Amino acid sequence: MPTIEEGDLIWQPSPERIANSNLTDYMRWLTENRGLHFDDYPSLWEWSIENVNDFWGTIWEYGQIKASQPGKTPLANDHMPGAEWFPGARLNYTENFFARQTDERPAMLYKDESGPLVAVSWAELAHKTAVFAHTLRQLGVQKGDRVVGYIPNIPEAIVALFAAASIGAIWSSCSPDFGSRSVLDRFQQIEPTVLVAVDGYQYNGKTFNRQEIVAELQAGLPTLKHTILIPHMTDGPSLPNSTLWPEILAQTTETPELIFEQLPFDHPLWVLYSSGTTGLPKPIVHSQGGILLEHIKTLTLHMDFKPGDRFFWYTSTGWMMWNFLIGGLLTGCTIILYNGAPGYPDLNVLWDLAAETKMSYFGTGAAFIHACLKEGITPNQNHDLNHIQAVGSTGSPLSVAGFQWVYENVNEHLALESFSGGTDLCTGFVGGCRLLPIYAGELQGPTLGAAVRAFNDEGEAVIDEVGELVITRPMPSMPIYFWNDTDNERYTGSYFEMFPGVWRHGDWIQINERNGCVIYGRSDSTINRQGIRMGTSEIYQAVESLPEIVDSLIVDLELLGRDSYMPLFLVLRDGHSLTDDLKKRLIAKIRSDISPRHVPNDIFILDEIPYTLSGKKMEVPIRRILLGQPVEKAANPGAMRNPHTLQYFVDLAKELND
């Protein structure tokens, strides 16, 4: 393939693929059941955002939502925030999964770094979910209680989620590579009663004992009544005040009845966390009905899953893509879980998994594709990858070179679906469409029901200009609220402060005349590393706890076509310097309190950190300057406490961008 440039046509669907797509089937269904006719995807999308009520009503019916009581009005109140969906409906998230139970194929395929591929049948999944739900009820867990997981991407995590949701309890999880402080900052806010945790995990060929961390979680969560421990360590004592997972499953040979509590559409399902720039991580609450509807729409119509497909996304339980991956079961496909490092023992490990499982959809982060490109690996030379129908890429923008690498080194027939969305809605709202061509460096366009626009500073929609990514109409998976957010103050401030009544997402986007999109990274100061968003305040708390450090500032310079580069700027106490010992302790502190993902690439020593007159660290302006934006456009010196500090970053930007 000759070298391609941004905007070059790189793939287009065959007539056969168009005819067999779920989108074509949905348009046929609309004609037969609603008398609506659409000639192409753009006209269908326009209808879906202009007729929000009608569109989501058809998704309920076409997606065969199982409910004891359907809601008659899809969108009773279209205000943002405060949209009201399907009032009067009664349903259960977990029930909708087991309504699709089958003996024809496994529910899951699971593999870790050291073990063989394991198939988990629907019958096994149903049995374990019923047993664990029964156990939770015996422990006194009721509707609205919180059940949390400190757990890797293993089948037990899905069992625990399904069991909790069947009762109407609220789930939340963190990956075990998170340090205790980061986990407590999340879980303490929601006051859980049950913790499901592993005593250790394997990653990158090493075993990590987490018993001490779990004990710290037990001590730091005063509302906790019970701990369920999943043993992964080969030695070491069990934790006190805990029950072992295998003992729970061994309690009965008969499967107890799995009772599905019938809940309102907006009953809380789970709490995810997306950090802002100040304060604790934002505890985002999604609804059972909203997630069901959105995931069925996106996974069926945009990712084109059909019964028998095999869906993989490399993820952890601390990233919303884990929650999204589970939704694949709603389409009749088998989901594939991998628990381990994507580069151990080398970057072929996930391609080995793709060949072994004959996966249909390979989902990953742009960082993994860029790593494969840099290493020069050619997976299609030593693997049969022709069964891969699509590759999904998210977490950060995918470069044009990344697009070309996929088509040259995986297979030339697949649809490369660069996918953008976020934890906030637990979905991708700009992404793939099997009816449209793919252009290098572009996302194909907004998904159905997602009124995505690029706004300039005056709140006007613009074309072929970089602007703020906004959503102008409600979507059912928008958060129902933030936990403990009095009067929705933090929720409103996070999304609706810049453009009242319009969702401002916090990404830069450019939309062209054909509705193709390019995402240019975060427009705010949230750190996004490998898809895991972390508020800068959390990193500052860890960094500035060291006595030698007076002040700090951190930014991530991820941008289209370049990898994440995260420099940390420090002001040291008089008489101190950045010794090897201080650097070692600083990195260890970030690793233990935050995560290994958030260790900075470089550390710089300054005399002062730039501040506004109101006392805020100037993260966004400094990020813009370091990305090469002229200082007069990036910052307002007249609104600064110490404008002379900008020159240092102007000079550094020249070095970084040369």
Side-chain angles (χ1 to χ4, degrees):
M1 182 184 293
T3 301
I4 61 173
E5 297 180 357
E6 183 173 322
D8 285 352
L9 177 65
I10 198 170
W11 178 89
Q12 50 188 345
S14 66
E16 182 182 12
R17 181 168 286 201
I18 291 173
N20 293 331
S21 73
N22 289 337
L23 271 169
T24 297
D25 184 72
Y26 172 62
M27 288 194 287
R28 187 183 304 117
W29 183 93
L30 287 173
T31 300
E32 295 173 353
N33 293 273
R34 294 292 190 273
L36 298 168
H37 178 75
F38 300 99
D39 293 322
D40 52 26
Y41 180 78
S43 61
L44 176 65
W45 177 75
E46 287 287 353
W47 170 79
S48 75
I49 63 170
E50 291 173 1
N51 301 273
V52 176
N53 214 357
D54 293 340
F55 168 69
W56 288 107
T58 68
I59 295 300
W60 177 291
E61 190 173 341
Y62 180 79
Q64 299 180 351
I65 298 289
K66 184 175 181 59
S68 59
Q69 187 173 328
K72 295 181 180 179
T73 305
L75 184 58
N77 176 1
D78 66 356
H79 295 299
M80 290 195 293
E84 185 181 4
W85 295 93
F86 292 93
R90 310 286 290 187
L91 47 67
N92 187 278
Y93 173 82
T94 303
E95 184 176 19
N96 274 269
F97 285 84
F98 287 106
R100 292 156 170 81
Q101 182 172 339
T102 179
D103 295 330
E104 295 180 3
R105 53 192 166 269
M108 295 181 272
L109 298 174
Y110 168 75
K111 196 173 190 314
D112 60 26
E113 287 186 352
S114 59
L117 185 70
V118 176
V120 179
S121 69
W122 273 100
E124 180 182 350
L125 179 61
H127 170 74
K128 290 182 176 179
T129 300
V131 171
F132 194 61
H134 179 70
T135 299
L136 291 177
R137 290 179 185 275
Q138 287 184 318
L139 294 176
V141 175
Q142 299 179 15
K143 183 168 52 180
D145 288 345
R146 275 74 67 204
V147 176
V148 296
Y150 186 60
I151 191 168
N153 184 22
I154 56 179
E156 290 90 337
I158 297 176
V159 170
L161 163 61
F162 281 171
S166 72
I167 297 170
I170 303 167
W171 171 260
S172 190
S173 60
C174 286
S175 172
D177 64 349
F178 277 33
S180 59
R181 185 66 265 159
S182 288
V183 178
L184 289 172
D185 281 348
R186 288 157 172 75
F187 289 169
Q188 281 177 341
Q189 295 186 71
I190 64 172
E191 300 180 314
T193 59
V194 174
L195 168 66
V196 183
V198 289
D199 60 1
Y201 69 100
Q202 288 183 320
Y203 190 84
N204 209 29
K206 300 177 182 178
T207 300
F208 297 86
N209 190 319
R210 300 315 255 176
Q211 294 185 65
E212 183 177 333
I213 300 294
V214 176
E216 291 176 13
L217 299 183
Q218 289 177 312
L221 297 170
T223 58
L224 201 64
K225 297 178 181 177
H226 306 282
T227 299
I228 311 297
L229 197 65
I230 301 172
H232 268 244
M233 306 297 297
T234 56
D235 54 9
S238 298
L239 284 167
N241 305 315
S242 64
T243 304
L244 291 177
W245 179 277
E247 293 177 0
I248 290 174
L249 296 180
Q251 287 177 359
T252 177
T253 56
E254 296 184 2
T255 303
E257 181 183 3
L258 182 52
I259 301 169
F260 303 109
E261 293 291 332
Q262 296 303 296
L263 306 162
F265 186 91
D266 62 356
H267 184 82
L269 171 62
W270 54 47
V271 181
L272 306 182
Y273 304 91
S274 184
S275 299
T277 57
T278 59
L280 293 170
K282 297 179 295 188
I284 297 171
V285 186
H286 292 121
S287 70
Q288 291 221 5
I291 290 296
L292 267 175
L293 209 60
E294 171 59 35
H295 285 186
I296 283 176
K297 178 212 77 177
T298 301
L299 290 156
T300 302
L301 299 181
H302 290 278
M303 303 178 88
D304 203 42
F305 286 124
K306 301 176 177 68
D309 284 342
R310 295 188 164 188
F311 175 32
F312 168 75
W313 207 290
Y314 180 79
T315 183
S316 75
T317 59
W319 187 19
M320 51 78 48
M321 289 308 299
W322 179 78
N323 307 70
F324 186 79
L325 171 64
I326 295 168
L329 293 171
L330 293 165
T331 69
C333 70
T334 295
I335 62 173
I336 302 170
L337 314 181
Y338 185 73
N339 177 25
Y344 177 81
D346 56 46
L347 284 169
N348 280 299
V349 65
L350 297 184
W351 303 112
D352 294 341
L353 181 68
E356 183 178 9
T357 61
K358 299 190 183 306
M359 67 177 62
S360 314
Y361 197 109
F362 185 102
T364 184
F368 176 76
I369 293 174
H370 290 149
C372 290
L373 186 159
K374 287 182 178 180
E375 287 295 314
I377 71 166
T378 55
N380 60 359
Q381 298 300 307
N382 45 26
H383 300 85
D384 179 3
L385 302 177
N386 289 319
H387 41 76
I388 297 180
Q389 297 296 307
V391 167
S393 171
T394 194
S396 58
L398 181 64
S399 67
V400 171
F403 273 74
Q404 182 158 0
W405 182 88
V406 169
Y407 279 101
E408 290 181 343
N409 296 285
V410 183
N411 78 59
E412 61 183 356
H413 305 294
L414 60 80
L416 174 50
E417 297 177 340
S418 192
F419 188 61
S420 185
T423 301
D424 318 75
L425 283 81
C426 197
T427 190
F429 42 75
V430 183
C433 173
R434 299 295 169 85
L435 307 184
L436 298 177
I438 293 174
Y439 298 89
E442 289 184 16
L443 292 78
Q444 287 172 280
T447 62
L448 296 176
V452 173
R453 308 291 186 191
F455 269 19
N456 61 20
D457 290 344
E458 287 71 44
E460 301 165 334
V462 293
I463 297 294
D464 286 327
E465 293 181 28
V466 176
E468 289 278 356
L469 191 162
V470 301
I471 303 173
T472 61
R473 301 301 303 274
M475 293 179 65
S477 68
M478 286 177 174
I480 47 177
Y481 53 79
F482 290 173
W483 200 267
N484 291 333
D485 183 22
T486 305
D487 298 325
N488 269 348
E489 181 178 351
R490 199 177 181 198
Y491 183 18
T492 302
S494 295
Y495 308 117
F496 301 101
E497 191 170 63
M498 181 176 288
F499 306 114
V502 173
W503 175 285
R504 177 242 179 193
H505 192 65
D507 282 340
W508 297 119
I509 187 172
Q510 181 171 326
I511 303 175
N512 60 30
E513 293 286 351
R514 59 174 174 262
N515 235 17
C517 302
V518 178
I519 304 293
Y520 289 97
R522 298 295 295 172
S523 63
D524 61 20
S525 57
T526 299
I527 301 295
N528 182 356
R529 297 276 275 191
Q530 301 172 32
I532 304 297
R533 292 181 181 175
M534 189 72 65
T536 53
S537 62
E538 294 187 80
I539 299 175
Y540 297 146
Q541 184 178 357
V543 169
E544 295 170 19
S545 68
L546 298 181
E548 297 93 335
I549 297 174
V550 175
D551 204 355
S552 61
L553 181 126
I554 194 164
V555 293
D556 189 1
L557 304 186
E558 173 188 271
L559 191 67
L560 186 70
R562 65 190 287 174
D563 292 336
S564 169
Y565 171 73
M566 189 171 71
L568 173 65
F569 302 93
L570 301 178
V571 177
L572 299 180
R573 201 170 299 281
D574 288 345
H576 291 278
S577 61
L578 186 62
T579 62
D580 289 342
D581 175 68
L582 175 56
K583 188 173 181 179
K584 184 177 180 180
R585 287 188 288 116
L586 173 61
I587 291 173
K589 184 69 173 173
I590 294 172
R591 283 182 175 274
S592 63
D593 282 16
I594 308 301
S595 87
R597 295 180 179 88
H598 294 86
V599 171
N601 296 96
D602 279 314
I603 300 174
F604 299 89
I605 304 302
L606 307 180
D607 294 328
E608 295 179 73
I609 297 298
Y611 277 90
T612 65
L613 289 172
S614 60
K616 293 182 180 179
K617 296 182 183 185
M618 295 182 59
E619 296 159 327
V620 173
I622 295 305
R623 179 179 185 271
R624 291 175 178 173
I625 290 171
L626 293 177
L627 286 170
Q629 191 169 355
V631 67
E632 61 271 15
K633 291 187 176 181
N636 178 9
M640 290 183 64
R641 178 189 297 172
N642 49 0
H644 61 275
T645 58
L646 293 179
Q647 188 60 46
Y648 172 87
F649 296 96
V650 173
D651 295 339
L652 180 60
K654 293 178 182 178
E655 295 180 26
L656 294 175
N657 294 305
D658 282 346

